Amino acid sequence: MSGSVNRPVRRRTFVLGAAATAGSAALAGPLAESASAASFGYTDDGSNYVVDTGASLVFKVSKTNGDLTSLVYKGTEYQGYGGKNSHVESGLGTSTVTIAQSGSTILISVAYGALKHYYAARSGENNVYLWTNKADTSVSATRYIVRVKAGLFLNDEPDSYTYAPTTIESADVFEKSDGQTRSKHYSKNRVVDYDYVGWTTGSVGLWVVRSNHEKASGGPFYRSLLRHQSADGGGLYEILYYGENQTEAQRFGLQGPYVIALTDGGAPSSSLYHANLTTSWADSLGISGYTAASSRGRVAGVGITGRDTAYAYTVGLANSAAQYWGSARASDGYFSIAGVLAGTYTLTVFKGELAVYTGSVAVTAGGTTTLNSIAIPSSNDPSNASAIWRIGNWDGSPSGFKNADLMTYAHPSDLRAASWTGNVVVGSGTETSGFPCYLWKDVNSGIIVYFKLTAAQSAAAHTLRIGVTTAYANGRPQVVVNDTWTSAVPSPPTQPSTRSLTVGSYRGNNNTFTYSVPASAWLTDASAYNTLKIYVASGSGTTSFLSAGTSVDAIDLLA
């Protein structure tokens, strides 16, 4: 295997979640060269501040607009494709850019109206630390994109490669000649699933290590842009706020640090991950909105009872100013969430992605709030209700349904997708895997579920429940039983107004629709199959996969 970055070797892109990264330290390349950091410092070339980290990394920041204009690692330039720099959003425009050195740290400050952005370098490290403080909506979305030159990393991962000959939706979803689809939107991973994104040749690795997202929006299960490649080069993203399929209002304030890390091919050091990163060296740099670790608090819960041990549980904290989350221990539900800004938060316990408990917790600066064991009421988990039959399970996601996994990194028209039509029979053993994860008014509305009832069951009224995780264009289910009883069209719940099902995301607002079906609707012959037809109702949307639609969590008929 060649170690030359000029003759790249095809390698798998690393995107690892918290659980997967536990053993990654053995893979990590060095953060800094062992040689002397005597060259650490900065110069001014007239147009840029030029920072030498004293290791193997030299980078430049424009004095005009704060763009990262050069990223040279071991003599090779990695920054730039299509004549574009790396920057906040699509570039800030004319800004006030200053630089200062304090001992072993160099800080570049960028002021653009109400937005402040920072780059920091540490002596002897091959890292660029970044913070972004957004105070208002004058800059709409907020991302930082590292633009990487073409040809240095080869990658055809399904959630990153966007160059394809045919545009099939908007200007950002493409189809390759083999029928596979690609888009920069297909992140595949939720925020909670990864610590960093990037590429490696085996001898050089270029990564963006994400921040803790405390001022981002959307919670732990939000999906957004992570990376893309095209013929012109590649992009690595840190998404600080993005409106597509967004479930929360935008938060404002300082986000970071997030890190551009260069390695000798391995994963970035776990010491940079958001859960482990300590920046005491940044406490006195004067970064706008910065809160030191000593002025933050912690929440610890001794356990959670009433859990379904077949599922992972996540505990989230959120208020209008910040959000945090942590995993509940599988054995007893213990959790600990550190680095929390002082304030009062809504505490939510998620079974999978389904909220099954909410409470309130106050966090004090420098203190630990210890919570007694949290008991999840049985009625809070819909799976505990006695059902005659159930398709899927209540976990807040379409997991297990047909095409569910593929849809996080492909368009519904992708050649790899199984047919979106096809009816299912309860008791067949394939009712969940055969039921489509998404329903659209113009694609598969009217899908049929066949099921039998005993004489006693058919003599009684029953409640039908359909859980959804998001909707597009106000799509919601209306049902018809045995072609004789039709439900009312339910009111649409609050859902994101943007694209969702076609850009790799089912994460909206979980909602349960209930239908009281009278006994007169059932067939009295116990050997006959009843039919449940599920239609998508809405007066909005366009056609095909952009017609009104919804994502399915679970369907059941209660006893």
Side-chain angles (χ1 to χ4, degrees), residues 63-120:
K63 294 167 56 180
T64 300
N65 56 22
D67 284 3
L68 182 70
T69 60
S70 176
L71 189 69
V72 174
Y73 179 64
K74 293 188 174 180
T76 298
E77 176 67 77
Y78 286 87
Q79 166 15 67
Y81 72 81
K84 298 179 180 180
N85 297 323
S86 300
H87 42 217
V88 175
E89 199 43 29
S90 296
L92 294 177
T94 301
S95 305
T96 301
V97 184
T98 58
I99 190 168
Q101 182 171 343
S102 176
S104 59
T105 302
I106 294 171
L107 182 71
I108 297 176
S109 303
V110 182
Y112 177 77
L115 187 144
K116 305 293 189 294
H117 180 69
Y118 303 90
Y119 300 88

Side-chain angles (χ1 to χ4, degrees), residues 100-341:
Q101 182 171 343
S102 176
S104 59
T105 302
I106 294 171
L107 182 71
I108 297 176
S109 303
V110 182
Y112 177 77
L115 187 144
K116 305 293 189 294
H117 180 69
Y118 303 90
Y119 300 88
R122 295 279 288 165
S123 177
E125 295 187 10
N126 291 316
N127 305 314
V128 183
Y129 297 85
L130 303 96
W131 290 263
T132 305
N133 189 338
K134 180 178 176 180
D136 59 27
T137 60
S138 57
V139 177
S140 55
T142 316
R143 66 178 181 180
Y144 193 90
I145 178 170
V146 179
R147 301 186 185 273
V148 184
K149 290 177 65 176
L152 297 177
F153 301 98
L154 294 181
N155 182 46
D156 193 16
E157 286 295 291
D159 57 337
S160 65
Y161 184 87
T162 61
Y163 181 74
T166 305
T167 303
I168 61 171
E169 184 177 300
S170 188
D172 54 16
V173 182
F174 308 95
E175 183 179 71
K176 297 176 67 179
S177 58
D178 62 3
Q180 293 190 16
T181 54
R182 298 288 189 265
S183 175
K184 65 183 180 181
H185 296 288
Y186 297 153
S187 64
K188 193 173 186 178
N189 288 274
R190 308 166 302 175
V191 176
V192 72
D193 294 330
Y194 71 94
D195 294 308
Y196 59 89
V197 294
W199 297 295
T200 180
T201 65
S203 58
V204 174
L206 174 56
W207 318 95
V208 169
V209 182
R210 77 166 174 87
S211 68
N212 69 350
H213 278 220
E214 70 179 2
K215 296 290 186 177
S217 299
F221 312 122
Y222 186 65
R223 285 182 166 87
S224 192
L225 290 70
L226 294 184
R227 61 192 172 198
H228 76 272
Q229 277 202 5
S230 70
D232 297 326
L236 299 176
Y237 297 88
E238 165 72 340
I239 296 296
L240 304 174
Y241 177 78
Y242 196 61
E244 194 155 61
N245 211 38
Q246 181 58 253
T247 59
E248 294 184 302
Q250 184 170 185
R251 294 180 173 94
F252 298 102
L254 184 69
Q255 297 204 59
Y258 49 103
V259 187
I260 303 170
L262 281 298
T263 73
D264 288 338
S269 170
S270 60
S271 66
L272 296 178
Y273 302 167
H274 60 93
N276 303 316
L277 184 62
T278 57
T279 52
S280 57
W281 51 265
D283 291 355
S284 60
L285 294 179
I287 295 173
S288 173
Y290 184 90
T291 302
S294 59
S295 297
R296 295 169 177 266
R298 184 172 76 97
V299 176
V302 300
I304 302 172
T305 62
R307 293 172 297 118
D308 181 341
T309 56
Y311 290 87
Y313 282 71
T314 302
V315 179
L317 305 176
N319 61 21
S320 61
Q323 61 171 6
Y324 308 90
W325 54 82
S327 298
R329 192 160 61 193
S331 60
D332 55 9
Y334 168 84
F335 62 91
S336 177
I337 305 173
V340 181
L341 294 172

Side-chain angles (χ1 to χ4, degrees), residues 468-495:
V468 304
T469 70
T470 195
Y472 176 68
N474 285 329
R476 65 268 197 200
Q478 181 182 27
V479 300
V480 176
V481 176
N482 291 320
D483 293 326
T484 60
W485 182 85
T486 302
S487 73
V489 177
S491 298
T494 300
Q495 295 288 6

